[in-house]
Amino acid sequence: MSLAIDGCVVEPIIGLEVHLQLATRTKMFCGCALEFAAPPNSRVCPVCLGLPGALPVVNSHAVELAVRTGLAMHCRIARVTRWDRKSYYYPDLPKNYQISQYDQPICGPGHFELPFGGHIRKIRIRRAHLEEDAGKNIHPGDGITAVDLNRAGAPLLEIVTEPDLRSADEAKEFAEQLRRLAAYLGVSEANMMKGQMRFEPNINLRIRKAEAVFVTPIVEVKNLNSFRSLHGAIEYEVQRQFDEWRETGRTTAVGNKSNRGWDDVGMRTLPQREKEEADQYRYFPDPDLPVVKLDPAWVEHLAEELPEMPIPRTERFTCEYKLPVRDAPALVDDRATADLLDHAAEAGADKATLGKHFLGCWSKLANERGVTVAGLGLPPTAFGELAELAHRGVVSATAAAQIAGEIVRCWEAERRTAKPEALAETMGLVQNRDEGQILEWVEQALAANSKAIADSRENPKKAAAICGFLAGQVMKLSAGRADPKRTRELIAQRLESV
Ligand code: ZN
Ligand code: MN
């Protein structure tokens, strides 16, 4: 997506590094618990404190979560992956190096299909590797800086894209869809408030002026921890780099990459230390850790276990269940509820009716109880049978909602034999299709609303509205039991004949 600024065509070139904290119980290389907001330095041991002689051990669950994420992004999974030390000298990293992966990452090239602006954009993934997180510096005041090492050693998956993103909006959409994917796979809580997902965009511009093309120096914005800051940093950089290019004419060259930080209050980026090149990190294989060999059969098994991903599932749900595009994602994002909907449909119930019920009466009952629809604990047949009753016109939509409420109450009272069909009978909600009876109600409604009928004769434009009003009156008279379709037909006939 290119922008026109002052006679130039400006195309932002954006790549993203995403650090995702994996949802393991313990840290990457030791048995310390991963707990957010535990008392400072209460979840530490000789390994994550970097004490001499302590030996790291790979957390196999983290390896599994990394492979599952990689498979979901169509990445090539390594047969053999290994660990490297990346030199760092910061107080929050007591070993003076970070265990990371350099030239043999666990996940190789892949891609992510992103619906954006009416197209499917293929965002290439360069790689994804495992590493450990650093601790946190905290600033309690009085010029004191303290270090909390509870986070030191937390397992991170660093996902690196190719520079395939073309705008702040697209980068934000990608980040949001990646978060959705991680949550769906259960590989990460991806809770932004807990810093479990952090972004570092690489940004520069390709500027076309007349026949010439100029490429600005790459800037990496460090450590963004919200979608808003990711979006803001990119937008700010696009304008800033364009202005800088106009002023200085500086274009990309070896060694002129730079790092900037994000000022969340001022909504601007600020210069930071210059970016290290790989040789300054002094990567070398960690002698304390053996290589990890991944059994292809195990990887294959994980691939087979992958669920349908949220983006394709949302598309399928909007088509199959006729869900509004706006509402479908919310239903898909709770995987247990989405599975339940599929199971209910498998038994043969009408899908459009099921979709309506899931978004309507079932969601309402679930919300009232502070649970998800799946959290109501009902079997799939309950949903399917009710949808069929409504679809066949045995009960009205209003009656279906009443029955749904009763089913939930029955289950809560441990009366688990409650069946929608039986409840419709006992609650007197089976729709009345007795022509004579409906006609009687219609006549009553007409008699009580003679003024409305006179109106409809004078103003044919109002006829539809009056027909609807009278149908409502019939519903009231019949306590919701009159078949609505037949009711409207009879009303229309009567109004014409008057
Ligand atoms: Zn530890
Ligand atoms: Mn990293």
Side-chain angles (χ1 to χ4, degrees):
M1 204 178 300
S2 30
L3 318 153
I5 313 180
D6 292 347
C8 300
V9 178
V10 178
E11 186 180 32
I13 312 289
I14 304 154
L16 216 51
E17 286 174 23
V18 182
H19 284 92
L20 192 64
Q21 185 181 310
L22 297 174
T24 54
R25 205 171 44 78
T26 56
K27 293 185 181 179
M28 187 68 232
F29 299 107
C30 64
C32 291
L34 278 176
E35 259 172 84
F36 187 74
N41 299 307
S42 62
R43 302 293 182 271
V44 292
C45 74
V47 175
C48 54
L49 287 174
L51 298 186
L55 286 173
V57 176
V58 174
N59 181 336
S60 60
H61 191 214
V63 172
E64 180 188 323
L65 298 183
V67 171
R68 279 168 47 192
T69 312
L71 287 168
M73 299 187 299
H74 312 281
C75 287
R76 197 191 306 144
I77 305 300
R79 288 287 185 96
V80 178
T81 184
R82 81 169 188 210
W83 309 98
D84 298 280
R85 292 184 177 183
K86 182 180 183 180
S87 300
Y88 252 125
Y89 184 77
Y90 288 112
D92 56 4
L93 198 73
K95 292 198 297 290
N96 289 345
Y97 62 83
Q98 177 194 31
I99 305 176
S100 183
Q101 301 196 289
Y102 185 47
D103 55 359
Q104 281 178 255
I106 187 160
C107 303
H111 67 269
F112 191 101
E113 281 170 11
L114 181 73
F116 185 78
H119 302 276
I120 301 291
R121 299 267 294 123
K122 192 166 172 175
I123 309 303
R124 288 170 300 158
I125 305 295
R126 183 178 294 171
R127 58 183 278 161
H129 66 256
L130 280 164
E131 60 187 30
E132 57 179 344
D133 207 347
K136 263 185 212 166
N137 291 338
I138 38 187
H139 310 280
D142 288 335
I144 294 169
T145 293
V147 184
D148 175 9
L149 293 172
N150 283 348
R151 200 182 66 181
L156 297 178
L157 186 67
E158 180 175 332
I159 300 165
V160 184
T161 78
E162 295 292 344
D164 288 346
L165 298 157
R166 290 292 173 270
S167 68
D169 286 346
E170 191 175 61
K172 178 167 170 274
E173 179 65 19
F174 172 78
E176 286 176 348
Q177 293 295 347
L178 192 61
R179 174 171 179 263
R180 226 180 145 202
L181 180 79
Y184 221 61
L185 293 170
V187 297
S188 172
E189 255 186 78
N191 185 328
M192 317 289 293
M193 308 298 274
K194 296 183 185 171
Q196 290 170 337
M197 196 178 188
R198 308 188 303 259
F199 310 106
E200 301 191 333
N202 279 273
I203 308 154
N204 67 343
L205 308 176
R206 195 182 288 139
I207 301 167
R208 256 177 298 138
K209 189 179 184 187
E211 291 303 294
V213 176
F214 305 90
V215 179
T216 59
I218 296 174
V219 167
E220 179 166 325
V221 185
K222 305 301 281 185
N223 223 4
L224 301 170
N225 51 21
S226 69
F227 297 122
R228 177 177 167 270
S229 57
L230 173 65
H231 189 270
I234 294 171
E235 283 217 308
Y236 183 85
E237 270 304 302
V238 169
Q239 189 63 50
R240 190 196 66 76
Q241 291 187 22
F242 182 75
D243 293 345
E244 187 186 75
W245 168 76
R246 244 194 337 199
E247 211 169 283
T248 66
R250 217 158 73 99
T251 56
T252 181
V254 176
N256 75 353
K257 257 187 177 182
S258 60
N259 283 349
R260 297 178 75 88
W262 174 245
D263 166 10
D264 219 0
V265 179
M267 291 294 281
R268 60 190 173 156
T269 66
L270 297 168
Q272 277 187 347
R273 67 185 159 83
E274 288 307 291
K275 189 172 168 63
E276 292 87 348
E277 295 301 323
D279 60 345
Q280 287 169 291
Y281 287 129
R282 292 258 170 241
Y283 280 104
F284 73 95
D286 193 312
D288 289 341
L289 286 160
V291 300
V292 177
K293 293 189 176 129
L294 301 170
D295 176 10
W298 175 71
V299 172
E300 185 56 36
H301 169 72
L302 292 181
E304 281 163 12
E305 272 191 340
L306 283 183
E308 185 182 16
M309 297 305 154
I311 291 171
R313 197 172 202 184
T314 304
E315 274 167 34
R316 180 168 68 77
F317 271 31
T318 42
C319 296
E320 269 182 29
Y321 297 104
K322 310 270 186 293
L323 300 179
V325 174
R326 187 169 39 90
D327 297 330
L331 192 47
V332 169
D333 282 352
D334 178 48
R335 207 169 127 190
T337 297
D339 289 346
L340 181 63
L341 177 54
D342 275 339
H343 288 143
E346 271 163 26
D350 180 69
K351 289 184 172 176
T353 312
L354 264 177
K356 239 181 240 149
H357 284 183
F358 265 67
L359 285 179
C361 56
W362 294 120
S363 286
K364 183 163 172 281
L365 289 160
N367 288 342
E368 285 165 3
R369 287 160 176 79
V371 295
T372 62
V373 176
L376 289 169
L378 304 176
T381 48
F383 301 93
E385 285 169 14
L386 184 64
E388 268 314 279
L389 287 185
H391 180 59
R392 295 204 324 263
V394 177
V395 299
S396 67
T398 329
Q402 284 173 261
I403 296 168
E406 192 55 28
I407 295 174
V408 172
R409 279 186 288 278
C410 286
W411 272 69
E412 283 168 348
E414 309 274 326
R415 277 183 285 126
R416 308 214 148 156
T417 46
K419 292 287 228 177
E421 192 143 24
L423 285 174
E425 289 285 352
T426 54
M427 293 167 79
L429 293 171
V430 175
Q431 270 189 152
N432 201 318
R433 287 165 163 176
D434 174 347
E435 192 86 19
Q437 175 65 69
I438 297 176
L439 205 53
E440 219 169 276
W441 285 320
V442 169
E443 293 302 343
Q444 279 179 39
L446 290 172
N449 296 283
S450 50
K451 190 180 169 298
I453 296 155
D455 268 8
S456 87
R457 235 172 327 184
E458 274 163 36
N459 190 349
K461 281 181 189 161
K462 277 190 182 169
I466 284 156
C467 192
F469 167 74
L470 290 170
Q473 296 304 303
V474 171
M475 285 302 148
K476 244 186 220 167
L477 287 165
S478 69
R481 281 180 301 139
D483 181 283
K485 190 161 165 266
R486 196 68 199 119
T487 300
R488 253 185 298 267
E489 283 166 6
L490 289 171
I491 291 171
Q493 279 170 21
R494 281 289 282 112
L495 287 180
E496 267 169 38
S497 68
V498 179

